[in-house]
Amino acid sequence: MLKKAILSSICITTSAVQVVVIRTCGITNDSKDPSIDTFRSTTLPILKQFGVPSEELSLKIESRGVAPQGGGEVILSVPIVQDTLKVITWIDEGMVKRIRGLSFSARVSVQFENTMIHAARGIFNRLLPDVHIFTDHKAGEQAGNFLSSEGNEDEFEDEKKELSPPGDIGEEIASTLLGEIEQGGVVDSTHQGLLFLLCALCPQDVSKVRVGKLSPYGVEVLRHIRDFLGIKFVIKPDPSTETVILKYVGCGLKNLSRKAA
């Protein structure tokens, strides 16, 4: 619920009168939704691509919370979009140049984290040297791993996994991330829906983006955009890269609240 509240807040508060600061509590890391680290390291940079000011856009993790008690607390700060989002042409995937990660654990030995990191790095370092995975050891009942890769054109991918044997977690996370990169696109499959929504809210001008294989969630978001905003995306597969290019004309949403203020 905490992550759903954050995503809703991001979509709504970009049209606010002034900077919005929201404190939310609940579960920050589980196996059902993207982790809070995903929002901080992947979702927020996507917003910047659409012209959301980066100066006051932040997500601070005060404490982590896991199921069933929760107990996590985060502070989200979303700045004002002065007029409209930015028209975007985002089709250059670029090359992956570095991988950053965060390993978190609770009520397990620190060696648990070290084993996860060692297993993940064993796969990544065969491909590139710039790999750094940090640790966050907290009190609680869960452990997991978050990873993101950054390409030359600000391509962000991410995955995470719940508690399992540490070596298996590291290897599975690394393999899953590489699988997302292999699919191509400027965002990973879990962020397709947000990408399409932001595209639909852009000014009334032609823009286009590239994604990998359309996810079921991404397809549903496209249908909702068509039904509620009347916007249809032109979908064109690119056989040379096995990706999909979507062209669209935004609805031209403006921050009328800001003008009224």
Side-chain angles (χ1 to χ4, degrees):
M1 291 300 293
L2 183 148
K3 284 158 280 187
K4 293 178 180 178
I6 290 175
L7 186 55
S8 300
S9 301
I10 288 174
C11 294
I12 294 173
T13 55
T14 50
S15 296
V17 179
Q18 58 185 4
V19 177
V20 177
V21 179
I22 302 173
R23 183 185 297 269
T24 59
C25 301
I27 297 172
T28 60
N29 300 86
D30 63 13
S31 60
K32 298 179 181 179
D33 300 300
S35 71
I36 202 67
D37 303 285
T38 301
F39 281 93
R40 184 169 63 178
S41 299
T42 306
T43 307
L44 298 189
I46 291 176
L47 294 178
K48 296 175 185 177
Q49 291 283 340
F50 287 85
V52 177
S54 60
E55 291 77 12
E56 296 175 310
L57 180 64
S58 65
L59 180 61
K60 182 179 180 181
I61 303 174
E62 294 287 312
S63 61
R64 295 183 181 272
V66 297
Q69 289 86 4
E73 184 176 343
V74 301
I75 300 176
L76 173 68
S77 176
V78 182
I80 304 165
V81 175
Q82 297 293 341
D83 187 17
T84 65
L85 296 176
K86 184 177 67 175
V87 174
I88 187 172
T89 298
W90 196 9
I91 59 174
D92 192 348
E93 302 164 287
M95 299 293 292
V96 174
K97 58 184 179 181
R98 57 175 170 260
I99 292 178
R100 296 292 180 266
L102 174 69
S103 170
F104 67 91
S105 65
R107 293 188 181 179
V108 293
S109 169
V110 175
Q111 185 61 35
F112 192 103
E113 285 183 299
N114 295 335
T115 304
M116 285 195 296
I117 294 172
H118 179 76
R121 288 183 61 94
I123 294 178
F124 290 137
N125 284 141
R126 302 172 192 170
L127 305 172
L128 73 169
D130 193 357
V131 179
H132 293 283
I133 304 176
F134 305 94
T135 61
D136 186 1
H137 187 77
K138 300 288 184 180
E141 299 180 348
Q142 188 175 9
N145 205 334
F146 162 82
L147 295 169
S148 69
S149 67
E150 184 175 341
N152 293 327
E153 295 297 327
D154 294 325
E155 174 186 0
F156 297 90
E157 314 277 0
D158 61 90
E159 287 297 332
K160 46 90 182 159
K161 185 69 177 177
E162 204 174 34
L163 180 60
S164 296
D168 294 346
I169 291 179
E171 292 178 358
E172 184 173 353
I173 288 298
S175 299
T176 305
L177 178 61
L178 293 178
E180 285 283 354
I181 296 173
E182 184 181 16
Q183 288 189 32
V186 296
V187 299
D188 64 316
S189 57
T190 60
H191 279 87
Q192 287 183 8
L194 175 63
L195 176 66
F196 299 155
L197 178 58
L198 292 171
C199 290
L201 301 179
C202 282
Q204 295 178 323
D205 199 352
V206 177
S207 300
K208 56 184 177 180
V209 294
R210 184 193 299 273
V211 298
K213 180 181 177 181
L214 289 173
S215 65
Y217 176 66
V219 172
E220 286 299 317
V221 172
L222 289 174
R223 289 172 178 164
H224 289 320
I225 291 173
R226 178 198 60 193
D227 295 339
F228 290 95
L229 297 178
I231 297 175
K232 295 183 179 180
F233 285 65
V234 178
I235 302 174
K236 182 181 179 181
D238 184 355
S240 63
T241 59
E242 298 184 351
T243 58
V244 179
I245 295 178
L246 296 92
K247 295 183 180 180
Y248 60 94
V249 176
C251 70
L253 180 70
K254 294 186 178 182
N255 189 349
L256 299 179
S257 299
R258 175 65 177 173
K259 290 185 177 181

